[in-house]
């Protein structure tokens, strides 16, 4: 079974979040999960967003000890651990309060389509400049 996960990553943690995605993902392409910070809060803090399908065990995998996977033996587990420590996971079934986005944390919403998750995160697209 797969579940939809939408993750907001602050601009300053993109490198670390990509190493985390590489460690918990299945392919070398996971190192490009978070690209540019094209979303922002009302105060102008910028975030990269990723919305993906993952196995239902994602919350457990995300909390497990990290190691470099066979598909990426050079993965930077030190950087990945920084992102792992900053990760907050929430689902509509959770009894925990919703974790607000912040420059010091990644927020993953599990079980909602991106169109429903993004408004909860309080993010909007960065205006395109001409």
């Amino acid at each position: 079974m797969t579940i939809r996960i939408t993750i907001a990553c602050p601009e300053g943690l993109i490198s670390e979040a990509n190493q985390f995605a590489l460690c918990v993902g299945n392919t070398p392409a996971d190192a490009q999960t978070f690209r540019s910070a094209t979303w922002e809060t009302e105060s102008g803090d910028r975030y990269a967003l990723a919305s993906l399908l993952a196995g239902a065990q994602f919350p457990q995998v995300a909390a497990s000890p990290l190691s470099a996977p066979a598909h990426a033996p050079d993965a930077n587990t030190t950087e990945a651990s920084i992102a792992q420590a900053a990760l907050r996971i929430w689902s509509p079934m959770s009894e925990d309060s919703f974790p607000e986005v912040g420059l010091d944390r990644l927020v993953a919403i599990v079980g909602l389509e991106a169109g429903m998750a993004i408004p909860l995160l309080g993010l909007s697209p960065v205006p395109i400049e001409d």
Side-chain angles (χ1 to χ4, degrees):
M1 181 172 104
T2 59
I3 54 174
R4 171 68 57 186
I5 302 170
T6 301
I7 306 170
C9 173
E11 189 170 33
L13 287 174
I14 289 175
S15 176
E16 292 86 349
N18 279 328
Q19 290 300 306
F20 176 72
L22 186 60
C23 288
V24 299
N26 298 313
T27 72
D30 290 317
Q32 298 301 315
T33 298
F34 299 97
R35 295 184 184 212
S36 56
T38 57
W39 295 82
E40 66 182 357
T41 61
E42 283 186 12
S43 62
D45 296 329
R46 296 181 84 165
Y47 291 79
L49 276 181
S51 187
L52 50 108
L53 292 174
Q57 70 281 7
F58 172 80
Q60 293 80 17
V61 171
S64 297
L66 297 173
S67 62
H71 65 266
D74 295 333
N76 186 326
T77 56
T78 300
E79 281 195 8
S81 294
I82 292 168
Q84 184 182 43
L87 180 65
R88 305 294 179 266
I89 300 173
W90 182 87
S91 82
M93 308 303 276
S94 174
E95 294 180 11
D96 298 330
S97 60
F98 185 80
E100 293 184 36
V101 295
L103 296 178
D104 61 344
R105 74 185 72 100
L106 287 84
V107 176
I109 298 177
V110 176
L112 290 179
E113 290 299 317
M116 295 177 71
I118 294 169
L120 288 174
L121 293 165
L123 300 176
S124 57
V126 172
I128 298 172
E129 297 179 14
D130 293 330

